[in-house]
């Protein structure tokens, strides 16, 4: 059996009332879920940054170790060449060894210069690392606080919201699909989440524009689904409110 327009309007108004209650709960929770999500992003970003910097520092440490090994090798060679110079047969051999010693000496100089550069890099990266670690501790602290706050509020409102969601799902079953789609579209387009509004002081309860007297008469008769000419919201008279309460 097809529901009457009045039944349809009552079902829509009931659904709106339930959704308004859910909206109120979400307002109490406010911006917290978003703040928590933002902080989680921050923390994850800092953690990635910190591990990247640590990797970079480790790489410089490794480079320094390599250069030190190279210097040790060069020093050993120099020592060897100097010993050989004591046993040369002629000037030409002596000169050749002197040249080799010079080359190894240059190797050591280049390695020393590189080590200085790497040390400088490590120092500056360590500072960046320390800043990131401090920021991480702060953000993590903020996150823990906000999360605890959100958990508390969520727990307080969870049961209520769950019951309302169930109620809403049940109410939706009694509404034909076409109307339900229109309702949800109106609700998502409206900043205040209102798709069904009452006439208040001769005006639309959603956009507060005046409603002509004849239209108000039509609304009171519950024979047609009447929408606001300005905002498109479904209008009901306030006799619905009294019955809801
Ligand atoms: Zn309106």
């Amino acid at each position: 059996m097809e529901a009457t327009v009045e039944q349809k309007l009552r079902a829509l108004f009931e659904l709106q009332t339930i959704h308004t209650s859910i909206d109120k709960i979400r307002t109490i929770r406010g911006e917290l879920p978003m703040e928590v999500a933002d902080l989680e992003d921050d923390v994850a970003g800092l953690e990635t940054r910190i591990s990247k910097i640590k990797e970079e520092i480790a790489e410089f440490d490794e480079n320094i170790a390599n250069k030190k090994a190279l210097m040790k090798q060069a020093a050993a060679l120099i020592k060897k060449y100097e010993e050989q110079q004591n046993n040369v047969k002629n000037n030409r051999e002596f000169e050749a060894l002197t040249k080799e010693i010079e080359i190894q000496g240059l190797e050591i100089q280049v390695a020393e210069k590189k080590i200085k550069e790497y040390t400088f890099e490590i120092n500056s990266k360590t500072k960046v690392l320390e800043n990131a670690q401090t920021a991480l501790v702060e953000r993590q602290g903020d996150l823990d606080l906000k999360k605890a706050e959100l958990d508390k509020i969520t727990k307080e409102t969870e049961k209520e919201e769950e019951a309302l969601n169930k109620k809403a799902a049940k109410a939706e079953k009694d509404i034909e699909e076409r109307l339900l789609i229109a309702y949800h579209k109106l609700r998502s387009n409206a900043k205040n989440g209102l798709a069904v509004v009452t006439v208040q002081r001769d005006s639309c309860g959603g956009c507060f524009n005046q409603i002509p007297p004849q239209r108000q008469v039509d609304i009171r008769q519950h024979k047609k689904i009447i929408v606001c000419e300005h905002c498109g919201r479904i209008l009901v008279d306030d006799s619905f409110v009294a019955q809801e309460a």
Side-chain angles (χ1 to χ4, degrees), residues 37-82:
D38 283 349
L39 283 167
E40 277 170 344
D41 280 352
D42 284 356
V43 166
L46 282 166
E47 279 169 347
T48 308
R49 197 168 144 77
I50 285 169
S51 73
K52 203 173 156 242
I53 301 169
K54 280 183 179 169
E55 271 172 33
E56 286 168 355
I57 290 175
E59 211 171 291
F60 282 120
D61 280 333
E62 203 187 315
N63 286 343
I64 288 177
N66 288 340
K67 291 294 171 203
K68 279 186 178 163
L70 207 101
M71 282 167 73
K72 216 172 161 185
Q73 247 177 3
L77 282 174
I78 289 172
K79 205 176 164 209
K80 193 181 96 181
Y81 296 146
E82 280 171 351

Side-chain angles (χ1 to χ4, degrees), residues 32 35-36 39 141-151:
L32 272 177
E35 285 174 32
V36 167
L39 283 167
D142 289 346
L143 176 60
D144 292 345
L145 276 177
K146 291 273 177 207
K147 247 187 177 168
E149 207 179 317
L150 178 61
D151 281 351

Side-chain angles (χ1 to χ4, degrees), residues 23-38:
D23 289 346
K24 271 185 196 150
I25 288 174
R26 298 215 167 128
T27 307
I28 293 169
R29 231 178 284 158
E31 307 272 299
L32 272 177
M34 242 164 60
E35 285 174 32
V36 167
D38 283 349

Side-chain angles (χ1 to χ4, degrees), residues 55 58 78 106 111 142 191 194 199 204 213 221 237 241:
E55 271 172 33
I78 289 172
L106 281 174
D142 289 346
K191 253 190 182 164
L194 293 175
V199 179
C204 163
Q221 282 177 344
D237 61 288
V241 183

Side-chain angles (χ1 to χ4, degrees), residues 54-142:
K54 280 183 179 169
E55 271 172 33
E56 286 168 355
I57 290 175
E59 211 171 291
F60 282 120
D61 280 333
E62 203 187 315
N63 286 343
I64 288 177
N66 288 340
K67 291 294 171 203
K68 279 186 178 163
L70 207 101
M71 282 167 73
K72 216 172 161 185
Q73 247 177 3
L77 282 174
I78 289 172
K79 205 176 164 209
K80 193 181 96 181
Y81 296 146
E82 280 171 351
E83 277 164 13
Q84 284 174 354
Q85 275 182 330
N86 295 330
N87 302 307
V88 289
K89 293 187 189 85
N90 53 46
N91 227 18
R92 207 167 53 91
E93 269 180 46
F94 189 89
E95 290 298 324
L97 285 166
T98 303
K99 193 139 203 192
E100 287 301 324
I101 290 168
E102 268 174 27
I103 290 170
Q104 293 309 317
L106 281 174
E107 288 277 11
I108 290 173
Q109 276 178 28
V110 170
E112 273 174 344
K113 196 168 162 261
K114 282 281 168 200
I115 287 173
K116 256 187 202 158
E117 280 172 27
Y118 297 151
T119 308
F120 180 82
E121 286 290 340
I122 288 174
N123 285 340
S124 70
K125 284 202 187 289
T126 302
K127 267 183 205 134
V128 176
L129 177 67
E130 282 166 1
N131 286 340
Q133 280 167 332
T134 307
L136 177 62
V137 169
E138 276 171 15
R139 287 285 190 292
Q140 187 65 56
D142 289 346

Side-chain angles (χ1 to χ4, degrees), residues 135-202:
L136 177 62
V137 169
E138 276 171 15
R139 287 285 190 292
Q140 187 65 56
D142 289 346
L143 176 60
D144 292 345
L145 276 177
K146 291 273 177 207
K147 247 187 177 168
E149 207 179 317
L150 178 61
D151 281 351
K152 189 169 164 273
I153 292 174
T154 304
K155 259 196 202 114
E156 282 167 6
T157 54
E158 207 167 47
K159 275 194 185 140
E160 205 183 335
E161 194 179 350
E162 207 177 295
L164 284 167
N165 277 326
K166 268 188 196 152
K167 223 173 139 188
K170 200 167 157 270
E172 286 194 4
K173 274 188 196 149
D174 295 333
I175 300 168
E176 59 184 285
E177 206 189 340
R178 186 183 59 86
L179 268 180
L180 203 56
I181 290 169
Y183 168 86
H184 282 299
K185 208 170 172 187
L186 277 168
R187 215 174 107 71
S188 62
N189 285 338
K191 253 190 182 164
N192 54 10
L194 293 175
V196 184
V197 293
T198 53
V199 179
Q200 291 165 15
R201 285 188 218 100
D202 301 326

Side-chain angles (χ1 to χ4, degrees), residues 197 204-209 228-233 235:
V197 293
C204 163
C207 70
F208 308 108
N209 278 296
C228 171
E229 302 172 282
H230 302 281
C231 66
R233 289 182 175 95
L235 290 160

